[in-house]
Amino acid sequence: MTTEFLTITGTPADEDVIAKAAEVIRSGGLVAIPTETVYGLAGSALLEDSARKIYAAKGRPADNPLIVHLAKPEDAELYGETTPLYYRLAERFMPGPLTIILKKKDNIPDTVTAGGATAAFRCPSHPIAHRLIEVSGHPIAAPSANSSGFPSPTNALHVKADMDGKIDMILNGGECEIGVESTVVKLNDDGCTILRPGAVTEDMLADVCGKVTISPAVIEPTLVDEKNPESPGMKYKHYSPTAEVILIDAPLDVFADHVNGRGAGKYGVFTPADEAHLYTGGIMLITGETDNASQLSHSLFTLLRNADELGLDTVYVRCPPKSGEYLAVYNRIVRAAGCRITKLRDNRENN
Ligand code: TXA
Ligand code: MG
């Protein structure tokens, strides 16, 4: 199939592009769209076959359910069983990068939820995603628009690299603002549990929710119960470029010594711009400024893709903190590294 690549230009002509994309959605086709988190691979959440096509295009295991994207939080009434806590969270965080799991109604086909009794709901704040849902008149099922297992796409060229020839249309709306996928939560009697961390953090949720727990699999991916994961996406290898990602937990100087001491080969280092001078070789993959979690999130998936574009065999990454805004980055990078963390301490302290 030929994939149409259309750019949103910020002019009234955009409405024609949206109308065309909405017709593709209504007729059961697939359109990749920008959201504020990452690009999504959108199909109607009301048509069984659209979900099947999504799984096929991504090469995604069919037991990993899709998020249902809505134009406004109240629309969840039509497709799921809302609760007072859903509305409290929606009031604060929707539209935006929060996904909430609810019991689903029968009008959402089993192909969308992988046969499960629940569905995940999110209202994207990105104007293109929002407008497409409105104009199509359908709720939209959309996973990240990458080939399964690879880094999520944060611009339309990433999508083209993975999806050209496999879907009907790509809407190019520039770079995604946030760069990591939405926070996914399930609701409990006394609060909520984070199943996937994102830009809506534990502290932000605690402001509204009372008790917030973090699923152990978020921090220790090896703890996922393969037969019964809370969120099926937890159990898959994820976000990995072909290059090997080596995640190292070490003080900065020890990390730099380790990288500088490695042998030949084509390698890269994730580094803030102002620390790049510490490295004597390798390709610098610049993550932004030191201690800037938003810039790191924003650049994470692009840098992982750059590693392959540059033909690197290894990428060294210093382990980010496991808290606040950094938790989302930690959660992605530890999976990209195949759940392996190398711990290095400063031997010189003992001399
Ligand atoms: O920011 C995002 O959430 C992006 C954009 C496109 O909206 N979408 C996204 O979708 O990241 P995807 O399919 O790549 O990730 C959805 C995650 C998966 O880990 C999946 O297992 C989990 O949400 N999920 C979906 N429905 C669920 C459900 N009913 N119960 C538990 N987990 C669910
Ligand atoms: Mg994904």
Side-chain angles (χ1 to χ4, degrees), residues 35 37-40 60 64-67 69 99 101 118-120 122 142-144 181-182 184 195-196 230-233:
T35 83
T37 57
V38 300
Y39 272 70
R60 175 171 172 138
N64 192 4
L66 307 174
I67 294 174
H69 296 69
T99 297
I101 293 168
T118 58
R122 147 163 152 77
S144 49
E181 305 88 337
S182 61
V184 178
L195 302 181
R196 181 178 72 182
E230 287 184 283
S231 184

Side-chain angles (χ1 to χ4, degrees), residues 80-122:
E81 289 174 21
T82 57
T83 66
L85 181 54
Y86 168 83
Y87 276 110
R88 288 216 306 281
L89 288 167
E91 196 172 317
R92 178 74 70 91
F93 300 113
M94 289 185 182
L98 179 67
T99 297
I100 301 179
I101 293 168
L102 301 173
K103 277 211 187 86
K104 83 169 187 82
K105 290 190 173 163
D106 288 345
N107 49 7
I108 298 294
D110 284 348
T111 46
V112 170
T113 60
T118 58
F121 295 97
R122 147 163 152 77

Side-chain angles (χ1 to χ4, degrees), residues 2 15 92 134 152 211 228 269 282 310 321:
T2 306
E15 274 301 305
R92 178 74 70 91
E134 260 184 354
S152 296
K211 191 168 169 222
N228 194 19
V269 192
L310 293 164

